[in-house]
Amino acid sequence: MKRTTRDITKICVRPDDELLAAFSAIGRDVLGMALVLADDGTLIGVVTDGDIRRKVIERKTLDLKVRDVMNASPTTMKATSKDDELIRKRSHKIKHIPLLDEAGKPVDIFTERFIPVAEPSLGDEEMMNVFECVASGWISSGGQFVRDFEELFAKYCGSKFAISTSNGTTALHLALAALGLTSGDEAIVPALTFIATANAVTYTGARAVLADVSRETWNIDPAEIERKITRRTKAIIPVHLYGLPADMDRVMEIARRNSLFVVEDAAEAHGASVSGRKVGSIGDAACFSFYGNKIITTGEGGMVTTDNEELARKMRILRDHGMNPERRYFHDVVGFNYRMTNIQAALGVAQLRKIDSLIAKKQRILKRYESNLSGVAGISFMPRGKSKESVCWLVTILVDAPYRLSRDQLAEKLREGEVDSRPVFLPVSEMPPYASDEKFPNADFVSARGLTLPTSPNLSDAEVERICAIIRTST
């Protein structure tokens, strides 16, 4: 815990300010709070996004001022307080303590926030879009933001069509269903991926066939794909793991030679590219997730991109209960309710406008980690590829000998230091629905040693150093 060196003036608001001003101030710093000052500069309250949310729900209106939502009795201390006094005052509920001078004006904040693995970067444009959406009354799946988001995302990926969905998993299922996967078919997926990749295949009645990954890329090994192809194989689902594109040149060549569909699982790789082509524009279809920890977010939400007009048409019908687009409430086929809401899309439009800056921030964070941890024996980073242009979704390291601690022991050390981390995905073959006696040595190797570190675009240089110091001193 420490006294900050941040410029607190940027998180100050007045009691008569509108809620948007409070949201803006809260979004300018990672503390998640704003200070409310009287005209003479003295502190009269604090406000958090939680305070705003609770009061809006209680009052059922957005027509509120800061004074209506603020906590007028915050815990404060004198700027001359000693650190041990401040430490005793801090608790699970009291994470940030404004420090006041003799006149009652804030001069500093005593804090040490718990650093999460990921958190969204939301600002004024997201708030304005959501307010506009609410004001319009179009909050469900109809609305202009849905149409705008689909059009803008297709353009960003270099695809002709984009079909928004309720989440990334439904995007995968929708694409596979529209391609006609069914009972008796097989789709080849990497053994190292989030379970949704395999589950989406299972939803169609087809069988998910696991292929080991390459130790050099952590992505599906093309040689293993070829080994797993049978007469039942209908599709290959390469995953662009943690933002590193799979070897799409070889995947596409194998698919063409064997008349197979390719569905890119790009849930973690928004903006990555292969030979100048963005992921999402290479396979027959590609699926993205906009979950809260992804590069851009809509809270939940997903998208399928494709250049195939007929496939896009089928997906739009299946997404909307199988309803005939020319005859309302007439359902030609059994479909799904996989639609994205206009509120989600309102966030997505704002997020997409700043995706390049978010990617750049994450890449800079990765470089800071690499610089700080260079030379630490037993700590290595996920390979980033050679000819491929990867993006950094989450900074991911391998913890191996001669590092003194195991991966799980290091995670515990980080947790003791108020830093979150998470292990790399477990191999799909370890899950009961997909249990197999077959060995996947490379997936097992990476999974047992892989650890993801905080990679929020809000992460400061000092916080990266704090995380790296724990890793360095644990050797």
Side-chain angles (χ1 to χ4, degrees), residues 453-465:
L453 302 176
T455 321
S456 163
N458 303 324
L459 206 62
S460 68
D461 290 354
E463 287 172 325
V464 173
E465 171 55 35

Side-chain angles (χ1 to χ4, degrees), residues 271-289:
S273 61
V274 179
S275 303
R277 294 183 63 186
K278 277 194 170 67
V279 299
S281 66
I282 303 170
D284 295 282
C287 301
F288 294 83
S289 168

Side-chain angles (χ1 to χ4, degrees), residues 120-193:
S121 177
L122 305 173
D124 293 355
E125 188 172 356
E126 285 85 355
M127 286 303 308
M128 291 301 295
N129 282 7
V130 170
F131 283 157
E132 180 182 334
C133 182
V134 171
S136 74
W138 289 97
I139 60 172
S140 294
S141 56
Q144 188 60 45
F145 282 115
V146 173
R147 294 186 289 273
D148 289 348
F149 190 31
E150 290 179 338
E151 181 180 337
L152 291 169
F153 197 80
K155 183 177 180 181
Y156 177 78
C157 292
S159 295
K160 292 181 180 178
F161 308 100
I163 298 88
S164 59
T165 64
S166 53
N167 57 61
T169 306
T170 57
L172 282 165
H173 182 211
L174 185 66
L176 295 173
L179 287 169
L181 263 72
T182 189
S183 178
D185 293 333
E186 294 177 348
I188 299 173
V189 305
L192 187 65
T193 182

